[in-house]
Each structure stands twice: as structure tokens, then as C-alpha cells.
Amino acid sequence: MSASNFSGSSSPLCLVPVKNGQPTKDDIYQSFRLTSKVVAVTGLNRPIIFPSNRGGVWTIDGSGAYVPFGGDFPNHYLDEYASDASGDVIGVSWKLGVFRLRAGSKEFERLYAADGKPFIHPFSTAYVERLGGTVISDNSGLYLLRPSGAVERLRWDESVGGKSPGRVFDLPELRLLLFTAEGYVYAGDDEGNLSIFDKGFDGVEAARVTDDGNIFLKRGQAEGEVVPWPPKDLTILPAKQGAHTYENFEGIETYVGTLVKVHGKRISVHLPWRVNTPPMEFPGGTIVANAGPDGLYTLDSEKTWEPVDHSREIAGNIIHLFQLPAENEALLVNGREGLFLLVKKSDPRAVSCLR
């Protein structure tokens, strides 16, 4: 790359070591095993972190330490969470039931056990404001959890969708729900009418509506798929009319070593050498590129890259970036030596940055 692609100054972000964030014998002394999965939930001001080996569920607390999450809550790898309009967080666990974290509270409360009254095995959830509550998929059917805690059964058309709904995704701009189950994806309206949206085992990891009213699907890889809506050809399943896109679910598009656009705004900037994954957005809009063993870079207003101080020193051959809840105003970095928070140099936490 040309030297003109680099600013010559350092990034406005810096790395703060996470307390207790170093791998131990329980992690086979390998840092990447500390963060098998990191979940950031709107309304929950700390991440839910699943390690690979040490067991339990962990978080980064208010003091910046890697600690057990604590309390009774949906704590299995595939459990799901949804945030409602009041800031409450609803969590569902196939094994443990349905939970709620009230806005401002520190621990979840269990509303319903997975005992058949009414839930047998709740496993997916999405807040649907227009229905006035949180939709929950269960082995026994589809339910609506009201803010009061009351539960209502929603219509689920077994003649189309089989015995039980799968994962649920809300597309509020289209007043549409998507369900994935048993090799199918179904589209459902607010009255419970179902139609087949896709057939096959590609599944859906996430879904959103694009600015022009189409459906963006994340299929489990970095790139996505855009499905025109409403379908142009009623004789073909809607998803089969979709087209691949190099834009990722977060709205960042890269192509052949170039950052092409962010949230629809065209940029066209060469990425630093060794950047093989789409850049990530720091809270507030700064773009962070992960160059693996070469460390981290941020993009400045002049469209040049600035290295994050000491990031190459902690990178080794593997470095991972994770989004945290917006309240954290940080990204979580898993490097060779352990866990770090990437924060602004103007942040009070920056006094502990690597020097």
C-alpha cells in the first residue's frame, strides 16, 4: 500500500487491559478461549460472554473486570434476548424458561419456568411494538408476552408451518415476521397468516429492512443477501429472488481490499494490509480495521489510517473484535495477552491505556 494511505499519527483510540482478562489454566492459557461468543443487548449495560473452556457465563463489569455474570438468567449458548420499548430485557432459555431484566436492575427475574405452564421449551424472542409485547417461540406454539407479564397465545398455522415455530425475526417497517423452522423460512403477518419465504437449510442469522424497503438477510457469513419485497414473481419463493451483496449486516461494505461504503455512503478507501474481515464501527462512527498480526487501525476524517498504539504488540497471529452494549462506549479486543477495551483517549478509562 502507498504510504499516503496512512496519516503518520496515532489513533484517537487506545487499549485498556481488562482486569482478570488474562487466560488461565482453565482456558489452556489461550486467550481466544475467553470469548467464544459475546452478546450485546440493548438495555443491558454489560455484555454476556460465553468462554470456550472455563465454563459459566462471564461479563465485563463497571470496573472493567472480567467476572462471572451472576444471578439466575438465560445462560446457555443459544439463548436469546430482546429489548422492549421501556428498556426491559426479555430473555428466553430452552431449559430454564422466560426471564425479565427491568430497566435499571442488575439481575434477571424468572417469569415462567420451562414446565409447560405455558412454556415447554421457549427458544426465540423478538419485541414487536405494534403487537404490544414480546413474541416468544416455543415448542408448543407462538406467544405474546405483555409488559404486565401476562401471556397470550398467538395464532400459528400448523397447516403451513408445522407443529412449532422456529427462530423469530421482526421487520417492523414491513409489518412482517420471519420464522425459521425445519428447513423452511416462513413469512407471517400480524394476523398469523403464514407463507413460505424460503426452502432449504441456509437459515437466517439476522434480518433487517433496507432503506429502499427490501429485506436484508444475514445467512451466517460476512456478506449478506437482499431479497426484493414485495416479491416480483409470485411463482418463485421470495428468498430465491434475492441477490448476494458484499455489504455486511452492520451496513459496511468491503470488496477486494477496499472499504467501499458505510451505511450507504460511498467511501472507496484501500484497507490496510492483512485486513481480511469487514471493519467494525466504534460507538460514534469511527471505523476500526483489524489487521490481524499487524494490529488495529482507525480511519480519520481525511480517509487515511491511523494505527492504534501498541495494538501490534498484543496482536500475535490472532486478534478478535467484539461489539459491546452502546453504554460501554468501547469495543472488546481479544489479543495474544488477553482482553482489552478499546476506548477513546479522552475517556477517563484511558489513564490505564497501554503506554
Side-chain angles (χ1 to χ4, degrees):
M1 285 183 62
S2 167
S4 63
N5 290 312
F6 297 93
S7 68
S9 58
S10 65
S11 168
L13 308 181
C14 65
L15 291 161
V16 177
V18 171
K19 302 170 189 175
N20 307 323
Q22 296 74 41
T24 67
K25 181 179 179 181
D26 290 337
D27 312 300
I28 319 179
Y29 299 106
Q30 294 175 311
S31 180
F32 73 89
R33 298 180 187 275
L34 292 169
T35 52
S36 174
K37 180 180 179 182
V38 178
V39 181
V41 183
T42 301
L44 179 60
N45 64 359
R46 51 193 171 126
I48 301 169
I49 302 175
F50 296 88
S52 298
N53 292 76
R54 67 165 61 187
V57 184
W58 298 69
T59 191
I60 308 295
D61 68 9
S63 71
Y66 185 72
V67 297
F69 190 93
D72 193 18
F73 77 108
N75 58 8
H76 292 77
Y77 194 89
L78 295 178
D79 290 348
E80 292 191 11
Y81 313 84
S83 304
D84 68 19
S86 69
D88 290 352
V89 178
I90 302 299
V92 298
S93 169
W94 186 88
K95 184 177 181 180
L96 300 176
V98 176
F99 294 76
R100 178 174 58 195
L101 177 77
R102 288 291 195 186
S105 299
K106 295 186 178 299
E107 292 191 358
F108 283 83
E109 58 175 328
R110 193 197 313 253
L111 298 180
Y112 296 94
D115 59 1
K117 303 175 184 178
F119 300 104
I120 298 175
H121 291 304
F123 55 85
S124 187
T125 183
Y127 176 66
V128 183
E129 184 174 13
R130 64 189 179 279
L131 296 183
T134 303
V135 173
I136 297 175
S137 287
D138 184 78
N139 278 20
S140 62
L142 195 64
Y143 297 86
L144 183 70
L145 176 68
R146 297 286 187 183
S148 65
V151 173
E152 302 171 14
R153 188 157 189 148
L154 294 175
R155 181 184 172 217
W156 175 254
D157 190 347
E158 293 187 9
S159 66
V160 177
K163 186 174 182 180
S164 63
R167 292 188 67 191
V168 57
F169 304 90
D170 182 36
L171 301 174
E173 300 91 338
L174 302 178
R175 301 181 67 87
L176 193 70
L177 294 169
L178 295 183
F179 302 91
T180 63
E182 300 177 358
Y184 287 85
V185 180
Y186 302 99
D189 63 22
D190 293 346
E191 286 69 47
N193 300 306
L194 287 182
S195 61
I196 298 175
F197 183 84
D198 194 15
K199 183 178 180 180
F201 290 93
D202 291 337
V204 175
E205 291 294 320
R208 63 174 170 84
V209 178
T210 65
D211 290 340
D212 55 1
N214 294 314
I215 299 174
F216 190 106
L217 300 178
K218 182 179 179 182
R219 295 286 206 172
Q221 67 275 3
E223 293 83 18
E225 176 183 339
V226 176
V227 178
W229 195 263
K232 295 180 179 179
D233 188 339
L234 298 181
T235 67
I236 302 174
L237 293 178
K240 303 304 183 188
Q241 302 175 53
H244 168 85
T245 175
Y246 287 100
E247 181 178 330
N248 69 6
F249 189 77
E250 287 70 35
I252 295 176
E253 181 177 336
T254 58
Y255 180 70
V256 192
T258 302
L259 175 59
V260 177
K261 63 182 180 180
V262 178
H263 302 314
K265 182 180 179 181
R266 301 200 72 82
I267 293 182
S268 192
V269 176
H270 288 299
L271 293 167
W273 180 249
R274 296 182 187 270
V275 175
N276 299 314
T277 57
M280 186 173 290
E281 196 168 9
F282 186 88
T286 300
I287 299 298
V288 182
N290 178 3
D294 285 349
L296 305 173
Y297 294 83
T298 56
L299 189 66
D300 66 15
S301 60
E302 302 299 320
K303 297 184 180 179
T304 56
W305 294 99
E306 304 165 320
V308 174
D309 295 344
H310 303 290
S311 61
R312 180 177 290 191
E313 298 171 21
I314 64 99
N317 290 321
I318 300 175
I319 186 170
H320 296 296
L321 279 172
F322 300 95
Q323 292 281 6
L324 294 178
E327 298 89 338
N328 291 193
E329 295 186 347
L331 296 180
L332 179 62
V333 180
N334 193 331
R336 182 185 69 244
E337 301 174 3
L339 301 179
F340 300 83
L341 292 178
L342 187 64
V343 305
K344 294 180 180 179
K345 288 180 177 176
S346 58
D347 191 299
R349 294 169 290 184
V351 297
S352 301
C353 277
L354 298 177
R355 307 294 182 189

